Amino acid sequence: MPINKLFGGTIEVMHHSLNLRNERQGMIQSNIANLETPGYKVQDFPFERVMAQVVSGQGQVARTNPRHLAIDPVEAARAGRFREEERPVDLDEEMLKLSENQMMYQVAAQLIAKKFEGLRHIIDEGAK
């Protein structure tokens, strides 16, 4: 049985969530690193919209030939929603986004760990 069917797709969704959180973390860190760079504009993407797009499968390119390269749905969705705002970096706002993003990353990682912990428990109890 594929692992995705075992958990009803939760692992796949959490996997995409962790990838998007990681991408967003890099953008926020880049914003902070370029705080004093003249002409630098804030970069970000709306996590909720991109995540919804990834989960629903919107924006995926149809592969009509098996030799076509597959496009990562997370990267495709993120690239379509990337935005620059016409304002300088606000350190307080970026630090708040950084904290929120880190916390949500940890929540997603803990949810995945709990899923596997439950599977381990089932396997251990099944052996008795």
Side-chain angles (χ1 to χ4, degrees):
M1 172 182 282
I3 195 78
N4 286 343
K5 291 192 178 204
L6 186 63
F7 294 115
T10 304
I11 296 294
E12 184 73 14
V13 171
M14 290 293 120
H15 168 78
H16 290 313
S17 173
L18 289 175
N19 284 343
L20 284 173
R21 291 281 175 204
N22 189 39
E23 291 277 336
R24 190 162 190 236
Q25 191 79 3
M27 279 189 175
I28 295 168
Q29 290 172 341
S30 178
N31 289 339
I32 293 170
N34 289 294
L35 179 67
E36 296 181 3
T37 302
Y40 184 80
K41 299 171 191 163
V42 174
Q43 300 176 351
D44 199 0
F45 63 88
F47 178 84
E48 291 80 13
R49 285 188 197 163
V50 173
M51 188 68 195
Q53 193 175 359
V54 168
V55 170
S56 68
Q58 292 177 344
Q60 291 186 0
V61 178
R63 294 177 62 194
T64 56
N65 186 317
R67 294 189 311 186
H68 289 165
L69 296 176
I71 297 175
D72 181 25
V74 173
E75 183 61 30
R78 187 191 68 78
R81 293 291 182 171
F82 175 75
R83 69 177 183 215
E84 286 184 352
E85 296 179 14
E86 296 291 330
R87 62 178 178 84
V89 177
D90 180 353
L91 182 59
D92 291 336
E93 183 180 328
E94 295 304 312
M95 294 304 288
L96 182 65
K97 288 192 306 189
L98 188 72
S99 296
E100 177 200 4
N101 197 57
Q102 287 174 339
M103 186 175 66
M104 296 308 290
Y105 184 93
Q106 290 173 354
V107 167
Q110 287 177 355
L111 286 172
I112 289 176
K114 286 290 180 189
K115 289 285 185 183
F116 283 110
E117 190 177 295
L119 180 62
R120 183 175 162 198
H121 177 73
I122 291 169
I123 292 170
D124 287 347
E125 292 300 315
K128 292 181 182 178

